Amino acid sequence: MRRKRLLSWVLTFAMIAGMFVVPARADNTTTITQDSPSGQMTITLEIPKKTPAASDLTYTAPAGLAYSGSEKTATVAAASGVTGMGDITVKYYSDAARTTEAAPKNVGTYYVGATVAEGDQYAASTAVLFGDGWTFTITASTPSSPAAPTKASATKNSITLNAVSGCEYSKDGTNWQNGTEFTGLLPSTEYTFYQRVKATANTNASAASSATISTTADTYAMTITLTIKAKDPATVTKAPTAKTGLTFNGGDQALVNAGTASGGTMQYALGANATTAPSTGWDTVIPTGKAVGTYYVWYRVVGDADHTDVAAACITVGIGQTSLTAQGVTIYAIPDQNSTGSQLTPKPVVKHLGYLLKEDVDYTLSYGTNSEIGTEKGTVTITGKGGYNGTLEKKFNIILPAYSGTLTVTAPARTPTARRSAQPRT
């Protein structure tokens, strides 16, 4: 009877349990309380943990997928709201079936999966979990260009470059080789060579650097005999001579008579003294002088292609003063022009004197006091300076004839004009 009652309770509980969902707890126990004539009944049930699925997880691909030499890392984590799951381990595979694991380092496509350890509410996964799109691809990177190529050696027909690890080389920028030697070149010719980091499974070829390198000259064995002949000196065949008797005449005068030379060209220059030849001003034209004084005329011979120069030498030349006694003097009387009528009233007087003299002359002037029409007498004294010397006293007569009307007397042009003075009569 007791067994039948116990069996009835078990069947009743089974029916009740089928009507309710009993939540799983960490201690895997569930307590059910039911009123019955005999009192309270406690039953312990074992509830299984949930099996993890890919939908319980989220996937994030790694950033920076260009090849770097280091492994890329994706992220797989529990989805939002999922708790009680154990540690998640991310795995990488080279095939979509996730059968062959591979380190995600080199260029290529990688497939991601995950395994889950047992947790409070989830059992451990029994297979690799993955979802659509759980994949990423590592692409090739491009290294920086290397330094320009450098020459290791060269002959007249070949050039060898210095080898750089990981690089390849070209003579035209199109065809590349691993070796550094280039043959079949022309002597004494410049070539442009290129160097770049060559491509690998994980990297592209870099941009190329270039440099210009020449082959050596084509040489021949030969003997050359040189006979060097020293140049002969040029010759002064006729030395210049000083002009003599030069005196001031108001113009430029050649200072020397020309000389001649063979094997070169004679040149002249004026110097500051008779001891030091001038460094500039040399010319084939003979120098001239104008003012009274001493001149230092230097001459030399500049040799041609086959002759050496002749050193400079000096000639001293002087220009002396000119005597005033040899110079003509003309005096002009210019009557007063401020009177009109049949007879000039008052009688014409000497207003001033015109003259014609050469430059650099001082003079003084005096004349008589006779007020009658007729002869005015006077004397001019001329004293030389600059280009002239001596003193010249010149007497003159001024004739003032009777006349009517306006008398106009014009002095001739004077060039140059010297100082003049006028003294009116009282």
Side-chain angles (χ1 to χ4, degrees):
M1 185 66 180
R2 184 176 297 175
R3 289 182 179 178
K4 290 182 179 180
R5 183 176 295 177
L6 178 61
L7 180 59
S8 175
W9 289 347
V10 170
L11 292 175
T12 301
F13 175 75
M15 293 176 63
I16 294 172
M19 297 173 61
F20 297 96
V21 175
V22 181
R25 294 192 337 190
D27 56 5
N28 292 325
T29 61
T30 300
T31 300
I32 299 175
T33 302
Q34 179 180 354
D35 291 334
S36 64
S38 61
Q40 182 175 333
M41 177 178 65
T42 300
I43 300 175
T44 300
L45 299 177
E46 293 290 337
I47 302 175
K49 294 183 179 181
K50 189 174 181 180
T51 300
S55 58
D56 296 319
L57 305 172
T58 59
Y59 165 75
T60 304
L65 290 175
Y67 173 80
S68 65
S70 300
E71 293 185 7
K72 307 298 179 181
T73 303
T75 301
V76 178
S80 177
V82 175
T83 59
M85 188 175 287
D87 293 337
I88 300 171
T89 302
V90 181
K91 296 179 176 291
Y92 305 93
Y93 301 88
S94 60
D95 60 312
R98 276 76 171 177
T99 57
T100 304
E101 288 193 50
K105 174 181 178 180
N106 297 322
V107 170
T109 299
Y110 294 86
Y111 302 89
V112 180
T115 58
V116 179
E118 183 179 2
D120 292 340
Q121 299 182 28
Y122 280 83
S125 59
T126 58
V128 175
L129 305 177
F130 60 90
D132 292 339
W134 287 30
T135 183
F136 62 89
T137 300
I138 298 177
T139 59
S141 60
T142 301
S144 301
S145 58
T150 57
K151 179 183 72 175
S153 62
T155 68
K156 65 181 181 179
N157 298 120
S158 68
I159 290 176
T160 300
L161 305 177
N162 286 307
V164 177
S165 177
C167 285
E168 57 185 357
Y169 313 90
S170 173
K171 186 169 65 67
D172 56 12
T174 301
N175 300 299
W176 295 87
Q177 65 183 52
N178 291 324
T180 58
E181 183 182 15
F182 294 83
T183 59
L185 309 179
L186 298 176
S188 301
T189 303
E190 288 187 341
Y191 292 90
T192 300
F193 293 94
Y194 300 85
Q195 178 173 284
R196 72 180 182 184
V197 177
K198 62 184 177 182
T200 66
N202 294 309
T203 60
N204 301 314
S206 72
S209 300
S210 64
T212 300
I213 303 173
S214 299
T215 52
T216 60
D218 197 359
T219 58
Y220 301 90
M222 59 186 302
T223 301
I224 300 175
T225 302
L226 299 177
T227 301
I228 301 176
K229 181 176 182 284
K231 289 183 177 181
D232 294 325
T235 303
V236 177
T237 56
K238 177 184 176 183
T241 57
K243 284 185 176 288
T244 60
L246 295 177
T247 58
F248 177 80
N249 66 6
D252 291 322
Q253 304 180 73
L255 297 173
V256 297
N257 299 303
T260 58
S262 64
T265 302
M266 185 164 290
Q267 296 181 341
Y268 308 87
L270 284 175
N273 52 59
T275 58
T276 303
S279 59
T280 60
W282 290 92
D283 201 327
T284 56
V285 178
I286 294 175
T288 61
K290 178 178 180 181
V292 172
T294 301
Y295 296 85
Y296 303 98
V297 180
W298 288 79
Y299 68 93
R300 69 183 183 184
V301 178
V302 178
D304 58 22
D306 299 318
H307 296 82
T308 58
D309 300 341
V310 175
C314 182
I315 302 172
T316 302
V317 185
I319 295 179
Q321 290 182 313
T322 299
S323 174
L324 276 172
T325 58
Q327 304 303 308
V329 178
T330 303
I331 303 299
Y332 298 91
I334 303 176
D336 193 353
Q337 299 178 23
N338 61 3
S339 301
T340 60
S342 60
Q343 181 69 36
L344 289 177
T345 302
K347 295 175 181 180
V349 296
V350 174
K351 179 69 173 179
H352 58 79
L353 295 178
Y355 57 88
L356 179 58
L357 294 174
K358 292 196 174 181
E359 62 183 6
D360 296 332
V361 177
D362 286 335
Y363 72 94
T364 59
L365 176 66
S366 63
Y367 47 87
T369 60
N370 188 349
S371 62
E372 298 295 329
I373 295 177
T375 302
E376 284 288 348
K377 296 180 180 180
T379 301
V380 64
T381 301
I382 304 169
T383 302
K385 68 173 185 177
Y388 300 97
N389 61 12
T391 301
L392 176 65
E393 186 176 88
K394 191 79 171 179
K395 294 181 181 294
F396 61 90
N397 293 324
I398 299 176
I399 307 300
L400 299 177
Y403 60 89
S404 63
T406 299
L407 175 63
T408 301
V409 179
T410 303
R414 298 182 294 276
T415 305
T417 301
R419 190 177 62 190
R420 63 190 178 186
S421 66
Q423 299 177 3
R425 256 184 341 181
T426 59

